[in-house]
Amino acid sequence: MEKKLFYLLTFLFSNIFLFSQVVKKDSAQGAKNKIELTTIALYGKVIDAKSKEPLAGSSLFLSDLRVGVIADINGNYFFNNIPVGHHLVEISYIGYTSEVEHIDIEKNTEKIFSLQPSAVENQAVVITGVSNATSIRKTPIAITSIRRMELMQTTSSNIIDALSKEPGISQSTTGPGISKPIIRGLGYNRVVVIGDGVRQEGQQWGDEHGIEIDELSVNRVEILKGPASLMYGSDAIAGVIHLISNTPTTPGTIKGNLLTNFQSNNNLFSLHSNVSGNRKNISWNFYQSMKSSKDYKNKFDGRVLNSRLNEKNFGGFVGVNKSWGFSHIFFSAFNQKVGLVEGNRDDGTGKFLLFGNSVFERIATSFDLNSRILLAPFQQVQHYKVVNENNFYIKNVRLKTNIGFQNNIRKEFGNPEMQSAAGLVFDLKTLNYNLQLVLPEKSEWHTTFGLNGMYQNNKNKGEETIIPDYNLVDAGSFVYTQRFFKNATLSTGLRLDHRNIKTKELVENNVVRFPRNNISFSNLSASAGISFEPADFFTLKINMARGFRAPNLAELASNGAHEGTNRYEYGNRDLKSETSKQFDFGVQVDYDHLNFAINLFYNRINDFIYYNKLQSVISGDSTLLVDGERLLTFRYNQQDAKLSGLEMNLDIHPHPLDWLHFENSVSFVDGRFDKKNDGTFNLPMIPATRWISDLRANFRKTGKALRNLYFKIEMDKSFDQHKPFFAYNTETSTSAYTIVNSGIGADIISKKEKIICSIHLTGMNVTNTAYQNHLSRLKYTDENLLTGRTGVYNMGRNFSLKINFPLQFL
């Protein structure tokens, strides 16, 4: 592994040297507004389609080249160093419908773009799940794109919390600091998280493991709902969440940003700063963030002991864009310390116990509950990543390469007598690679061949172990093609994967705890779909896909007590891969004053992996005594299952009240085993049906000092979940609840029409409703004998103030 790391770093630093040599050869730039068409260029103007007036400040972005520009005061734009070939241009402006156009460029090209005034931006470009940047309307699968402005208007404790408001997206939580994405009822290793083009690899199999990406640096999120194994291999059986942090700035500029956020409930304070630039074809971005909070509170529990967190992160990228393509280096360092809520209570007072079941056990004081210092049990997560992304144009062929190295270090501190000594320590190193050859367009067919995979090495460096040390080698090859017709887009592809896992032997007290194993999995993935646009306002999508997921190490080889549960888990080396056959059907209608979308899905999963309780050889349940506590024993098993459901959106913005939006979304999913499991057909971790209704007012201009003023009030209703996974007392029913959220914000403008700052004041759960989300693991902590309530409740009323200061240096 050390040799692989040495070779990778040598490769990355060689690219840095290349950047420096390219800069030396660049000639000095001309005057600010002088255009010299010495290389292939795309230039022109962006105008209002009705009035023909120029749209100063409109944005244009070439997704495949990772370069964007801003139109000047006359609406003029200019791209230089454009490689010959097919390109996708996204044009956007606040208050207008975004346009996405395919352009073939062989020489200097002038193009005028016309935008239609609209209350809704209903187009966007996505790069997730496809080989080339594509318009959302032309993808046959359900994809959602979320921009930074939408994230700014949302109160959340982490990035997955912010995304959980999207239809079909839920989260499994263990307090505000630990959230795992659930897509259409499937989570953990069934969801692939991508960070700036590379799949994030940590200990995502566990309940106490969140997402190791700095939420304050995220500029855009793309969510793919449904099997995506075709592009990403194993684990994308539920879908993909792509978090995009680094986007190049406009050429010739240097700018910065300062963002601060304060939340009232847990006194969370966060600060984020970055500086980015693009000069002489060299672009860069550097950021750093910090976040700190006390324990959160609600009206039933008061402050929830040890739900605090501290976080410090930094990262960025440096890259070069030339006529031959681009080369970028990304890097990031994530460092989080987060408390693990146990929920132990004093029988007499109902108050939380500190250091429960130890010689230091006592009732938590007011000082304990208002401190920011981490208390046992807590965990520290460190994630380091460096990635080299290249896009080379070689005549009419494009070669894309992506090589990344990441190191995930996770430590759990659970001993109050030795709080600085970690019990569990996972050290996971991953080398990712992705090579794609994009063939020239032929008769409107766009075809890509690809090879991607990873090499992993995991070591246990603590006194405790749950899974064995292992090496993993993963490789997959695929072909993906799109055919563009006048009113339709056909997408199809095929992929073959192979994964090999070697576990290492561990002997304790002359007993083999983890035997040496060598296990392999091979799978075939396929996808075919069509996006049909019979009219400008109507889109019909149909897709069929086969995906898969190889069993993870916990399912194959675990042998230990799972933290935070009453379970001792045994792996099963005989597990097969899960395979999925999913059918998706979607309809989207976009009128000037009404937008409607519905997505239906049916997902058939063969060999769905779950755990079942072991029976004693005598009678009754099998138990094991661990550190003085008797635990039930479980072993992973498989059974066929099916999931079905829908997501629906309706946005009404009636004329002449174009500034008013009434948006509603509904999410529903049902999951069933084919055969009863301990008396129930219900799958675990299925979210309750959810209805979100949002009334919002947007004003582009308000007086001389305000721009983009908005007001909103939101009703978020979760219905009863009376079909939980009852088996083995794993889940219980959850009552319905409704929470009310609100928000107001605007850009503050100077006399020179420059943004001084943006202010966002939002309120979450303003009625202070006490509720338990069905996917919250804290609802299964101890019973409060004083009140008779079981478990810990979610966060109460919380107000958030975000202030963003844009800085322009050049």
Side-chain angles (χ1 to χ4, degrees):
M1 186 65 193
E2 287 74 12
K3 288 185 178 180
K4 291 182 174 64
L5 177 58
F6 172 77
Y7 293 143
L8 175 63
L9 293 177
T10 301
F11 177 65
L12 295 180
F13 284 112
S14 297
N15 274 274
I16 294 177
F17 177 75
L18 173 64
F19 298 159
S20 65
Q21 298 306 304
V22 171
V23 176
K24 291 179 182 178
K25 294 179 181 179
D26 277 348
S27 58
Q29 286 186 330
K32 183 177 180 180
N33 295 318
K34 186 178 180 181
I35 298 177
E36 297 181 359
L37 303 181
T38 56
T39 59
I40 294 179
L42 172 65
Y43 62 99
K45 180 178 287 190
V46 183
I47 61 174
D48 184 302
K50 295 182 179 180
S51 67
K52 308 303 179 183
E53 293 293 321
L55 296 180
S58 52
S59 299
L60 300 95
F61 193 72
L62 290 168
S63 301
D64 288 329
L65 298 179
R66 305 289 195 273
V67 62
V69 297
I70 302 296
D72 65 17
I73 193 171
N74 298 313
N76 294 318
Y77 70 90
F78 174 65
F79 288 100
N80 203 358
N81 292 322
I82 305 297
V84 173
H86 185 87
H87 300 280
L88 193 69
V89 186
E90 180 181 18
I91 313 99
S92 61
Y93 190 64
I94 295 176
Y96 288 76
T97 298
S98 297
E99 291 292 332
V100 177
E101 292 206 21
H102 291 261
I103 299 179
D104 291 305
I105 298 178
E106 297 181 355
K107 59 182 180 179
N108 296 331
T109 303
E110 181 177 9
K111 181 74 175 179
I112 296 176
F113 297 109
S114 301
L115 299 184
Q116 294 282 351
S118 174
V120 176
E121 297 180 13
N122 57 11
Q123 284 215 64
V125 170
V126 295
I127 59 176
T128 305
V130 292
S131 59
N132 294 305
T134 305
S135 165
I136 283 182
R137 292 188 65 177
K138 295 186 181 300
T139 59
I141 50 183
I143 296 183
T144 301
S145 178
I146 304 168
R147 300 186 180 186
R148 184 172 178 82
M149 183 55 65
E150 298 173 70
L151 298 174
M152 291 288 290
Q153 297 177 8
T154 302
T155 301
S156 60
S157 57
N158 57 70
I159 186 63
I160 301 303
D161 184 25
L163 302 182
S164 66
K165 291 185 179 296
E166 292 297 313
I169 310 301
S170 309
Q171 57 174 332
S172 170
T173 64
T174 312
I178 302 173
S179 293
K180 303 178 74 66
I182 306 291
I183 300 180
R184 292 177 168 177
L186 298 173
Y188 294 76
N189 278 83
R190 298 179 178 99
V191 176
V192 166
V193 175
I194 306 290
D196 287 315
V198 172
R199 59 183 289 163
Q200 195 79 1
E201 285 296 317
Q203 310 291 341
Q204 58 261 43
W205 50 268
D207 293 299
E208 307 293 353
H209 309 152
I211 303 301
E212 308 92 345
I213 292 178
D214 176 52
E215 66 160 323
L216 299 176
S217 67
V218 174
N219 283 303
R220 193 171 88 250
V221 183
E222 296 175 0
I223 304 174
L224 187 155
K225 291 176 281 190
S229 298
L230 181 64
M231 299 300 296
Y232 301 100
S234 177
D235 302 351
I237 199 169
V240 177
I241 294 179
H242 191 175
L243 306 171
I244 302 168
S245 298
N246 296 291
T247 54
T249 59
T250 302
T253 63
I254 299 177
K255 63 182 182 179
N257 200 68
L258 184 64
L259 169 66
T260 182
N261 178 216
F262 176 78
Q263 296 184 20
S264 63
N265 186 285
N266 57 354
N267 295 136
L268 180 144
F269 176 76
S270 60
L271 183 65
H272 171 80
S273 63
N274 83 291
V275 59
S276 59
N278 192 333
R279 298 279 291 169
K280 298 181 179 181
N281 299 316
I282 302 297
S283 57
W284 70 88
N285 176 49
F286 304 103
Y287 71 83
Q288 61 179 11
S289 302
M290 63 82 61
K291 186 195 303 184
S292 174
S293 80
K294 299 194 298 188
D295 296 335
Y296 80 88
K297 60 185 177 181
N298 59 63
K299 69 179 183 181
F300 282 172
D301 300 308
R303 290 210 177 272
V304 177
L305 181 65
N306 214 24
S307 57
R308 63 202 66 177
L309 63 87
N310 290 301
E311 192 175 303
K312 294 180 181 179
N313 313 314
F314 69 87
F317 87 97
V318 60
V320 59
N321 284 69
K322 300 290 287 183
S323 58
W324 46 260
F326 68 81
S327 183
H328 293 161
I329 293 177
F330 302 91
F331 60 92
S332 63
F334 178 92
N335 190 343
Q336 181 193 66
K337 293 181 179 180
V338 58
L340 301 176
V341 178
E342 292 187 305
N344 296 329
R345 312 255 188 182
D346 177 64
D347 292 344
T349 63
K351 294 182 178 180
F352 287 109
L353 289 175
L354 184 63
F355 306 136
N357 301 316
S358 77
V359 295
F360 298 105
E361 179 180 296
R362 60 179 173 84
I363 295 175
T365 65
S366 176
F367 177 81
D368 295 326
L369 293 167
N370 285 278
S371 173
R372 295 175 185 265
I373 299 174
L374 273 296
L375 303 169
F378 71 93
Q379 68 176 350
Q380 180 179 16
V381 182
Q382 297 166 288
H383 196 98
Y384 305 99
K385 181 166 63 176
V386 59
V387 180
N388 180 222
E389 180 186 30
N390 301 287
N391 195 336
F392 302 110
Y393 284 81
I394 307 169
K395 292 185 177 180
N396 292 326
V397 176
R398 186 149 53 100
L399 176 64
K400 299 163 66 175
T401 70
N402 193 310
I403 300 176
F405 172 79
Q406 48 191 315
N407 186 195
N408 182 275
I409 304 170
R410 190 177 302 273
K411 303 175 183 178
E412 292 188 3
F413 302 83
N415 187 352
E417 300 180 34
M418 301 177 63
Q419 294 199 51
S420 61
L424 280 171
V425 180
F426 300 102
D427 187 353
L428 176 67
K429 295 180 174 68
T430 305
L431 181 67
N432 301 90
Y433 62 91
N434 186 358
L435 307 175
Q436 294 186 20
L437 186 66
V438 183
L439 301 183
E441 178 268 333
K442 186 175 183 179
S443 302
E444 294 298 324
W445 285 97
H446 298 257
T447 303
T448 299
F449 291 91
L451 174 69
N452 55 25
M454 60 183 172
Y455 170 82
Q456 270 188 354
N457 172 264
N458 188 77
K459 292 182 179 179
N460 291 287
K461 295 185 176 181
E463 295 182 358
E464 304 174 22
T465 53
I466 296 178
I467 61 174
D469 294 350
Y470 69 88
N471 292 324
L472 180 150
V473 177
D474 181 275
S477 59
F478 67 89
V479 57
Y480 179 84
T481 187
Q482 287 182 300
R483 172 63 161 91
F484 293 99
F485 299 91
K486 182 179 181 180
N487 296 319
T489 304
L490 174 67
S491 301
T492 185
L494 189 67
R495 179 189 179 99
L496 179 64
D497 275 274
H498 180 78
R499 172 172 290 187
N500 177 258
I501 303 172
K502 294 181 180 179
T503 64
K504 299 182 180 180
E505 183 180 74
L506 176 64
V507 179
E508 292 182 346
N509 300 321
N510 296 319
V511 177
V512 177
R513 182 171 179 183
F514 297 113
R516 181 179 289 105
N517 279 318
N518 188 339
I519 310 172
S520 295
F521 302 94
S522 295
N523 284 277
L524 185 69
S525 304
S527 179
I530 188 168
S531 175
F532 179 49
E533 301 173 61
D536 290 340
F537 63 87
F538 185 81
T539 305
L540 176 68
K541 299 184 177 187
I542 300 175
N543 193 75
M544 293 177 289
R546 184 187 192 275
F548 78 97
R549 180 182 76 90
N552 62 48
L553 262 295
E555 296 162 341
L556 288 169
S558 62
N559 186 354
H562 202 143
E563 177 67 29
T565 69
N566 189 36
R567 304 196 304 263
Y568 191 98
E569 295 182 358
Y570 292 104
N572 181 354
R573 64 160 297 173
D574 296 324
L575 294 176
K576 305 174 184 177
S577 292
E578 294 179 342
T579 56
S580 166
K581 299 180 183 69
Q582 179 160 318
F583 176 80
D584 284 89
F585 175 80
V587 173
Q588 182 176 328
V589 179
D590 295 305
Y591 287 109
D592 288 341
H593 304 289
L594 182 146
N595 299 83
F596 172 78
I598 184 169
N599 290 290
L600 307 171
F601 68 92
Y602 176 82
N603 192 358
R604 178 70 179 176
I605 301 180
N606 296 108
D607 298 312
F608 182 88
I609 299 173
Y610 66 100
Y611 54 81
N612 67 294
K613 188 188 299 183
L614 296 178
Q615 302 297 309
S616 171
V617 293
I618 306 172
S619 64
D621 298 329
S622 173
T623 61
L624 203 63
L625 189 64
V626 180
D627 296 331
E629 184 178 4
R630 188 158 293 279
L631 304 178
L632 296 172
T633 59
F634 289 79
R635 185 172 185 262
Y636 285 97
N637 207 343
Q638 292 185 295
Q639 188 189 145
D640 294 345
K642 54 184 175 291
L643 296 100
S644 58
L646 63 86
E647 299 101 35
M648 183 170 62
N649 283 81
L650 175 64
D651 185 359
I652 302 172
H653 32 95
H655 184 74
L657 306 179
D658 296 331
W659 48 267
L660 182 66
H661 290 257
F662 183 48
E663 185 171 358
N664 295 268
S665 66
V666 175
S667 303
F668 165 77
V669 60
D670 180 69
R672 300 293 185 95
F673 286 112
D674 281 7
K675 299 177 181 179
K676 280 190 176 182
N677 187 355
D678 195 32
T680 180
F681 285 104
N682 304 322
L683 287 182
M685 302 297 294
I686 299 297
T689 300
R690 193 177 186 189
W691 170 29
I692 299 179
S693 187
D694 189 346
L695 184 63
R696 187 172 73 256
N698 291 332
F699 303 95
R700 187 181 165 202
K701 292 184 179 181
T702 308
K704 296 182 179 180
L706 298 180
R707 295 290 183 272
N708 304 318
L709 175 67
Y710 70 90
F711 305 89
K712 69 174 183 177
I713 185 167
E714 177 185 86
M715 179 203 72
D716 186 346
K717 180 176 179 60
S718 288
F719 291 84
D720 290 331
Q721 177 52 290
H722 57 273
K723 295 181 179 179
F725 183 55
F726 286 118
Y728 323 121
N729 298 317
T730 302
E731 294 181 0
T732 59
S733 296
T734 305
S735 300
Y737 60 87
T738 301
I739 59 177
V740 178
N741 307 315
S742 62
I744 180 174
D747 296 330
I748 310 299
I749 307 297
S750 69
K751 293 181 179 180
K752 295 182 179 181
E753 296 290 316
K754 299 292 185 181
I755 298 177
I756 300 173
C757 67
S758 301
I759 300 177
H760 305 272
L761 176 62
T762 57
M764 184 183 74
N765 192 9
V766 294
T767 57
N768 203 27
T769 299
Y771 70 97
Q772 289 180 320
N773 185 286
H774 183 68
L775 300 185
S776 169
R777 295 185 62 247
L778 298 185
K779 76 186 283 263
Y780 301 105
T781 57
D782 283 356
E783 178 185 358
N784 187 334
L785 297 180
L786 195 68
T787 63
R789 302 187 188 101
T790 299
V792 172
Y793 283 69
N794 287 76
M795 187 179 288
R797 183 185 295 116
N798 186 24
F799 291 103
S800 168
L801 176 63
K802 295 179 183 177
I803 305 178
N804 187 67
F805 297 91
L807 307 172
Q808 191 75 37
F809 302 109
L810 184 65

